[in-house]
Amino acid sequence: MSMNPTMMLLEEMVIFVRVVESGSFSEAARRLGISPSAASRGVSRLEKGLSVQLLQRTTRKLRLSESGEEIYKCCRSMVSSAKTVLGMSAKYSHEPEGLVRISAPKALGRFVIHPLIPEFLRLYPKVDVQLLLGDHHGDLIDSNLDLAVQVTDHPAPGLVGRCLFPIKQILCASPDYLAEHGVPMHPLELERHFCISEGDLSQGSRWQLKRGAELLKVQVPSRYSINLSEGRLDAVMQNACITYLPLFIAQAELERKRIAHLLPDWEFIGTHSHGSAWLLYQPTHYLPLKVRAVVDYLVEKVRGDPSLRAASLPPCDDVPVINDAGEPGHVH
């Protein structure tokens, strides 16, 4: 059977998409499991087959040509559609099976998502899970992810969003620290305490707290900052400071009475990790059973955990699928 010349370039189109996404032939080759020279030859064959230059090559970087920009969008759409086709077969299998790749912020993944995975693996013996922890949001397609957990006020358009829980930040300190330095009864009293932040010390540490319609900005003394919530928790446990932590990190130590919640009538307005925790995935009419199983399990477990429901914050709602035209869509 003869094959249309265009069909013979499908593999080269995939290579081209991965090269653009990764920014280099070597990284694209690593992701595809081929040699860099094979990746370079694949793009050259595609350029020859289409009779256009797709990439402008320099010694330092690759840049899409004008025609390459348009062709890349079409090829990327083709790769996404191919994944949908593969997912259709899983939809009709009798039980979930296969690998599910999930990304999540370090702290949220460690304290919320990770503890739930062992039970999921027992419930679904044919599903494997790869949990990737990091605080940089990666594109679902570029990073070959099935699901992404992100903390945000506004989930990225073009994705399906299942809201897990609102993030609440609290101020806390250890009982020993408070016994030595006193308990602040008003936000302005924080100016007399040693505080640890996560921002740039050169710009000072300005904390915002809200009670009803009242909003206060307090310049707190801070000689140390660390952009890791677990590090700030450790500093509190060493009786070193007052700091702010997501409630899901502080909860266990609060229950053990090893730390105390300060100024509970005031809401701490975080500068970094604020908003809600969202479980995001690509819109598709044929969501693979393995992915659907993880989504349903995490939503049920996390939303059903009373320790993650902050009484002072409203529950979050799911968001609809937004298609390329900016119109609501549906997922089955």
Side-chain angles (χ1 to χ4, degrees):
M1 180 181 68
S2 63
M3 184 175 291
N4 186 299
T6 304
M7 298 295 293
M8 297 176 63
L9 294 174
L10 290 177
E11 182 177 349
E12 284 71 15
M13 293 179 188
V14 174
I15 294 174
F16 172 55
V17 169
R18 293 296 179 236
V19 169
V20 175
E21 290 173 347
S22 60
S24 71
F25 286 105
S26 57
E27 177 60 20
R30 186 189 67 80
R31 295 184 184 183
L32 292 168
I34 61 177
S35 66
S37 60
S40 179
R41 289 195 300 270
V43 173
S44 295
R45 285 195 299 270
L46 182 59
E47 289 178 320
K48 183 178 180 180
L50 299 177
S51 299
V52 295
Q53 182 182 6
L54 300 173
L55 295 172
Q56 297 173 350
R57 301 164 174 82
T58 67
T59 56
R60 293 188 176 182
K61 62 180 180 179
L62 301 172
R63 180 183 302 169
L64 281 168
S65 65
E66 183 177 356
S67 57
E69 291 274 3
E70 294 299 318
I71 292 172
Y72 166 68
K73 293 176 182 178
C74 295
C75 290
R76 176 171 172 162
S77 177
M78 179 204 70
V79 172
S80 178
S81 297
K83 287 187 174 182
T84 299
V85 171
L86 294 174
M88 290 174 63
S89 61
K91 176 180 175 68
Y92 295 105
S93 64
H94 296 296
E95 61 180 316
E97 61 178 294
L99 174 66
V100 177
R101 287 168 50 87
I102 312 170
S103 70
K106 292 178 182 178
L108 197 150
R110 163 68 181 86
F111 284 86
V112 179
I113 305 300
H114 162 70
L116 301 175
I117 299 303
E119 181 183 350
F120 174 85
L121 296 176
R122 287 192 293 270
L123 293 173
Y124 297 93
K126 293 187 178 182
V127 179
D128 301 327
V129 175
Q130 183 177 12
L131 181 59
L132 306 168
L133 302 183
D135 293 325
H136 298 287
H137 296 173
D139 183 273
L140 286 168
I141 295 179
D142 292 353
S143 304
N144 196 27
L145 294 168
D146 297 294
L147 299 167
V149 180
Q150 296 180 6
V151 177
T152 179
D153 280 325
H154 306 287
L159 298 176
V160 183
R162 302 295 305 276
C163 190
L164 297 176
F165 65 100
I167 300 294
K168 180 180 181 179
Q169 302 268 3
I170 67 167
L171 295 179
C172 54
S174 71
D176 287 347
Y177 174 91
L178 297 173
E180 180 178 354
H181 300 281
V183 179
M185 305 304 293
H186 188 273
L188 293 179
E189 296 180 21
L190 293 170
E191 297 174 347
R192 300 196 296 269
H193 286 267
F194 183 74
C195 302
I196 290 183
S197 301
E198 60 178 322
D200 186 351
L201 288 179
S202 65
Q203 299 177 1
S205 295
R206 179 174 294 181
W207 291 1
Q208 296 187 73
L209 295 100
K210 181 179 180 182
R211 183 176 62 181
E214 184 179 4
L215 179 65
L216 285 181
K217 296 182 179 180
V218 182
Q219 193 74 29
V220 300
S222 181
R223 295 172 50 218
Y224 177 47
S225 72
I226 177 171
N227 64 343
L228 182 67
S229 298
E230 291 175 88
R232 296 198 303 280
L233 174 61
D234 182 66
V236 169
M237 300 298 294
Q238 294 187 45
N239 311 316
C241 65
I242 292 175
T243 193
Y244 52 88
L245 291 168
L247 180 59
F248 67 82
I249 290 180
Q251 187 68 47
E253 300 305 333
L254 287 171
E255 293 174 354
R256 298 187 184 104
K257 301 188 183 303
R258 297 176 63 183
I259 63 175
H261 182 184
L262 305 178
L263 303 173
D265 293 336
W266 291 81
E267 177 187 352
F268 181 84
I269 309 298
T271 56
H272 291 80
S273 297
H274 63 279
S276 296
W278 291 86
L279 185 60
L280 304 172
Y281 51 97
Q282 288 286 341
T284 173
H285 290 287
Y286 301 98
L287 190 66
L289 279 182
K290 62 179 182 179
V291 179
R292 172 61 65 191
V294 175
V295 170
D296 291 344
Y297 173 82
L298 290 179
V299 170
E300 177 185 3
K301 289 294 183 180
V302 175
R303 287 184 176 179
D305 186 344
S307 68
L308 297 176
R309 294 199 299 269
S312 61
L313 298 177
C316 50
D317 298 319
D318 296 340
V319 298
V321 180
I322 304 298
N323 60 30
D324 292 340
E327 301 170 345
H330 303 280
V331 171
H332 304 289

